Amino acid sequence: FQAEDGIRDVERSRGLGDVYKRQDKGRSSSELTSEFTMTAGLPSFISDDMDLAVQSAIKGLSGYARLPFYQRVLKLSGYEDIVNSIEGGANPAEALTPELVSDLALVGPVEKCKETLSKYVEAGADMPIITPNPVGKQSPLEVMEKIIEVID
């Protein structure tokens, strides 16, 4: 099985380091009692060039900011003022902030992305679903190598 399949088979899954071994940590550190697997979708823009990573994240995520589901997520995440400005006609690419994309995605150097990922696990995410996105001229292989560094 591959990570993007959305299926978790601890015995047969490959290439994910010890992500599945750490899965119980998120559940045990939160107040969640459900038997469901809690996922968290995390777009990734991983690069040592923080400015370029933020620019890539804003560009990559701005299209979602017009969609009602994602607007609800942004409001619930404390960014109601930004959603209100977009609903009022602001261009999402101009309305999204470095703070917002850094809070809701893996943005920047590997160590910073590890910290962001840890916050989600500690909040109860059993299975973070990391969406690969290039920063600058990163190749698909470079993008995946960066993700592996974050989860390893």
Side-chain angles (χ1 to χ4, degrees):
F1 295 102
Q2 297 290 325
E4 63 273 11
D5 291 337
I7 300 170
R8 180 178 75 89
D9 182 327
V10 178
E11 300 302 317
R12 295 171 43 193
S13 293
R14 61 187 188 274
L16 295 175
D18 64 346
V19 169
Y20 297 131
K21 293 175 192 168
R22 295 189 309 242
Q23 181 175 355
D24 289 335
K25 180 180 178 196
R27 180 66 52 146
S28 65
S29 66
S30 75
E31 296 178 11
L32 297 173
T33 58
S34 170
E35 292 187 24
F36 288 98
T37 298
M38 183 65 68
T39 65
L42 293 168
S44 66
F45 302 87
I46 307 166
S47 172
D48 289 333
D49 184 335
M50 185 65 178
D51 291 335
L52 186 57
V54 166
Q55 289 172 9
S56 297
I58 289 172
K59 181 179 179 183
L61 299 176
S62 62
Y64 293 98
R66 285 197 167 107
L67 302 174
F69 172 81
Y70 292 101
Q71 288 180 341
R72 182 173 182 269
V73 170
L74 292 174
K75 286 179 180 180
L76 292 172
S77 298
Y79 294 101
E80 188 169 353
D81 56 331
I82 291 174
V83 173
N84 289 341
S85 71
I86 293 168
E87 290 174 333
N91 179 347
E94 296 170 4
L96 298 184
T97 65
E99 176 192 27
L100 181 150
V101 297
S102 293
D103 281 351
L104 303 178
L106 304 179
V107 179
V110 168
E111 288 305 314
K112 182 185 177 307
C113 292
K114 284 183 178 193
E115 291 171 12
T116 303
L117 180 59
S118 290
K119 288 192 308 187
Y120 279 86
V121 170
E122 289 168 11
D126 297 315
M127 185 186 304
I129 300 172
I130 301 172
T131 308
N133 292 281
V135 174
K137 296 185 180 201
Q138 289 176 334
S139 71
L141 179 60
E142 290 171 307
V143 172
M144 295 310 292
E145 288 173 340
K146 291 290 187 185
I147 290 173
I148 289 169
E149 286 181 56
V150 170
I151 65 173
D152 207 16

